[in-house]
Amino acid sequence: MRTKVAIIGSGPAGLLLGRLLENAGIETVILERRSQEYVLGRIRAGVLEQGTVELLDRAGVGEKMHAEGLVHDGVEFCFDGDRHRFNFRELVGRTVTVYGQTEVTRDLMQARDRSGAMSVYEAENVSLHDFEGDKPKVRYVKDGVGQELDCDFIAGCDGYHGVARASVPENSLRTFERVYPFGWLGILVDKPPVADELIYAHHERGFALCSMRSPTRSRYYVQVPASDKVETWSDERFWDELRRRVDAETADNLVTGPSIEKSIAPLRSFVAEPLRFGRLFLAGDAAHIVPPTGAKGLNLAASDVGVLAEALIEFYAERSKAGIDGYSARVLSRIWKAERFSWWMTSILHTFPDTDAFGRRIQRAEFEHLRSSTIAARALAENYTGLPI
Ligand code: FAS
Ligand code: PHB
């Protein structure tokens, strides 16, 4: 079997790359180790940068997003009960769209299914070969039968635990990592959101986030120790803790109900360098991880594959290697700026076991600076709504 671009992973990065390339007449095959149902069952990101919305429109999958997505002009910070709203539209003339990653993934999957492009789900033992040469190939097992896929390029869109980055010789790759001593316990509930926009809360007991998926479905998070187990968190315990970390008005307005999903996500910052190895490119979580505080994970994956698609389209259309040769440096520049913002948001909003009284005053000063300085607020707004790609 042969294709032009073999894409490993059917998450948002792989699916969006596939859509952008197929729309340009470049054939792809996606190999995914899980089932479609499993991929769609993962509850993850919720906020799309304007650049991601534009990319999804370019991919031809924006209709449902525009019909159901919630355009938000800003977010609120609640710092030990003091609330301040950042109006992105006023500060930088941009907005964000609340539309869950699950919906983005479903829209992309359905578009791919309609196009007839080939995806292999439950592909086992995927392995990458000869990508340092000009005849790479991917092997995998489907229904017990070994398969081999010859291709021109391989896109490793298989996430942090994927096989693509693991296939790169260790001495060819440098990684940078920071693991945080806490995780996010997230809950999904079919009740109206507590506020019109997201509320990021700092409290001495820990961080909390009030988010949403629609006018009738809410998403909440509380910071928990990295060692916590979700089984020890009843819904009641979650709601009590959330109420203690937000201001009184928000606590009073909270509409609680039974969780339809509850899970703990670990937090880490991670970057691999470089992101191109001959005919293999890494994109999305296969290349980097950010703590979700800055709502960057899904958006970085989208911007990576936007650049990669442009480079591959240029290669096939003009036989130019400029785009693929420049891919790694170009996306890493934006990745590191998103890493910085996500680390900074995490640092000011969470409680760290080793933060002393001085450190807590510095966190408060960050908030006071943000709410008293338009320049500081514009910097936050510029990063949150998405830096230029
Ligand atoms: P993904 O991990 O989504 O997709 C990779 C795909 O590759 C998966 O379907 C996987 O099954 C497949 N795969 C892996 N190994 C393979 C192999 N060997 N062979 C074939 N296929 C393989 N971001 C936010 O912005 N906000 C959030 O709140 C947020 N919450 C998150 C919670 C969790 C638990 C996690 C893990 C991430 C969260 N993220 C969040 C980040 C997340 O949204 C990612 O940035 C986003 O999924 C990145 O998309 P992909 O790069 O496509 O990776
Ligand atoms: C979410 O709704 O899942 C969400 C929103 C904003 C974040 C992280 C997660 O920063």
Side-chain angles (χ1 to χ4, degrees), residues 180-368:
Y180 298 90
F182 41 73
W184 278 19
L185 167 61
I187 197 168
L188 198 63
V189 61
D190 276 335
K191 291 292 180 186
V194 70
D196 295 338
E197 295 174 334
L198 274 60
I199 302 174
Y200 287 81
H202 170 278
H203 189 276
E204 62 181 5
R205 295 178 64 86
F207 167 81
L209 171 60
C210 302
S211 184
M212 63 196 75
R213 288 294 178 271
S214 74
T216 59
R217 177 167 285 192
S218 300
R219 178 75 167 163
Y220 295 101
Y221 297 94
V222 294
Q223 169 190 344
V224 295
S227 55
D228 261 21
K229 300 290 179 234
V230 67
E231 297 76 24
T232 63
W233 281 87
S234 69
D235 289 2
E236 289 64 34
R237 182 185 175 198
F238 180 92
W239 296 123
D240 289 346
E241 192 57 42
L242 178 63
R243 283 195 190 90
R244 298 172 79 164
R245 298 187 185 185
V246 295
D247 60 290
E249 181 195 0
T250 302
D252 290 345
N253 293 340
L254 204 54
V255 182
T256 66
S259 60
I260 56 176
E261 194 272 348
K262 187 162 50 181
S263 55
I264 294 178
L267 267 63
R268 77 175 73 239
S269 299
F270 173 86
V271 181
E273 288 185 2
L275 298 180
R276 184 257 180 112
F277 309 90
R279 296 279 179 133
L280 168 63
F281 298 89
L282 301 180
D285 276 16
H288 45 71
I289 295 287
V290 284
T293 327
K296 291 294 150 227
L298 171 57
N299 292 295
L300 266 186
S303 54
D304 289 352
V305 298
V307 172
L308 183 54
E310 199 179 285
L312 290 169
I313 290 166
E314 178 194 71
F315 172 82
Y316 284 106
E318 303 163 25
R319 307 312 291 181
S320 158
K321 292 191 170 185
I324 56 178
D325 290 345
Y327 166 76
S328 185
R330 184 172 167 198
V331 293
L332 278 168
S333 167
R334 190 171 189 277
I335 287 163
W336 275 110
K337 286 179 264 190
E339 289 282 346
R340 180 209 67 83
F341 176 69
S342 304
W343 163 82
W344 174 76
M345 282 275 278
T346 304
S347 302
I348 67 173
L349 288 168
H350 290 73
T351 51
F352 289 71
D354 58 354
T355 301
D356 58 11
F358 176 82
R360 283 192 293 278
R361 284 289 186 278
I362 292 294
Q363 287 181 311
R364 181 78 205 189
E366 285 278 7
F367 174 64
E368 292 300 338

Side-chain angles (χ1 to χ4, degrees), residues 7-16 30-35 38-40 42-48 101 105 109 120-128 140 156-164 184 209 213 219 221 261 263-267 283-302 304-305:
I7 299 172
I8 318 297
S10 186
L15 285 163
L16 180 55
I30 292 181
L31 300 174
E32 165 58 53
R33 74 174 169 186
R34 300 286 190 177
S35 67
Y38 184 95
V39 174
L40 287 171
R42 289 189 301 231
I43 306 298
R44 288 193 176 162
V47 173
L48 305 182
Q101 174 171 325
T105 305
M109 270 184 188
V120 180
Y121 286 92
E122 296 176 296
E124 298 172 344
N125 306 335
V126 172
S127 60
L128 285 59
Y140 64 96
C157 300
D158 50 348
Y160 180 72
H161 300 288
V163 65
W184 278 19
L209 171 60
R213 288 294 178 271
R219 178 75 167 163
Y221 297 94
E261 194 272 348
S263 55
I264 294 178
L267 267 63
D285 276 16
H288 45 71
I289 295 287
V290 284
T293 327
K296 291 294 150 227
L298 171 57
N299 292 295
L300 266 186
D304 289 352
V305 298

